[in-house]
Amino acid sequence: LPPPEVGVYWKDGSNFVMVQGQAIAQAKAGGRAGSFFTDGLRNQHWDAYVDGPTSKNVVKERRPAFYFYVPDGSTSSDYVLIKLNKKGDRREFQVGSFGGISGGKSGVQRDKEVPFKAGHIGIRIYRITLSEDLKPGQYAFFMGTGQSATMSGAMGGNRSGGVASGRIYDFSIPE
């Protein structure tokens, strides 16, 4: 079992390697030009981001085994595994959209989610298995805090943002 310290661990052979996490509270609005040129018909999006073009946590397997030791009151279903988009000197993911003809949505963009199965193996401990190999790139387990924000620049009635704060456990899968 992983050490009894809250966090995300990668099992490298017989060793548990902690995937260093960090609080994330940085966000930005995107899609302004598309919204402007379509007179507000196209929505804008709310992105959370983490600094740096790559993660310091390097996972050397394409189908790694992860373990969660979750905070009291949490479960594995509070986490989502996402593929991060590289944007210059940062990595980001969409946590909501607003405006446009469809109104607004909050939550991680579904096509960026990577499915996983979680097996409960002890008190507050889960073993995470992936059904397929991860491609080289930047990934993160994200646990949102449930806070949302309001976007003052949005056109239309729904100006809801998305979860832009929480905890992220990012890692790289090298080539």
Side-chain angles (χ1 to χ4, degrees):
L1 294 176
E5 182 179 337
V6 170
V8 173
Y9 298 85
W10 164 54
K11 188 155 189 198
D12 182 12
S14 61
N15 298 322
F16 287 95
V17 179
M18 182 178 234
V19 176
Q20 294 295 325
Q22 60 185 302
I24 188 164
Q26 302 180 69
K28 66 175 193 62
R32 286 191 180 128
S35 180
F36 177 79
F37 288 116
T38 61
D39 199 25
L41 292 176
R42 191 160 162 214
N43 64 3
Q44 294 181 52
H45 50 90
W46 183 241
D47 297 328
Y49 66 91
V50 61
D51 290 326
T54 60
S55 175
K56 294 178 179 105
N57 302 306
V58 178
V59 173
K60 300 172 195 138
E61 295 176 37
R62 293 291 174 98
R63 196 179 301 191
F66 290 100
Y67 290 78
F68 293 168
Y69 190 94
V70 300
D72 197 23
S74 294
T75 70
S76 62
S77 62
D78 294 329
Y79 293 78
V80 62
L81 176 57
I82 50 177
K83 181 148 178 40
L84 300 174
N85 297 321
K86 282 178 78 168
K87 298 280 184 162
D89 64 344
R90 69 181 184 275
R91 292 154 288 142
E92 62 185 37
F93 60 100
Q94 187 172 314
V95 291
S97 63
F98 56 94
I101 58 173
S102 64
K105 296 179 247 176
S106 84
V108 173
Q109 199 174 4
R110 289 275 177 223
D111 66 342
K112 296 295 182 185
E113 281 188 43
V114 178
F116 65 83
K117 290 185 178 148
H120 187 253
I121 60 170
I123 297 170
R124 298 174 30 205
I125 302 171
Y126 297 86
R127 183 175 195 273
I128 306 306
T129 55
L130 304 172
S131 56
E132 55 187 50
D133 290 358
L134 295 175
K135 294 182 171 101
Q138 302 297 309
Y139 296 86
F141 287 102
F142 175 64
M143 181 181 163
T145 60
Q147 298 173 356
S148 50
T150 300
M151 300 300 295
S152 60
M155 294 181 163
N158 193 332
R159 294 190 170 117
S160 149
V163 177
S165 62
R167 192 135 189 95
I168 192 168
Y169 300 88
D170 63 317
F171 60 96
S172 294
I173 300 288
E175 290 284 340

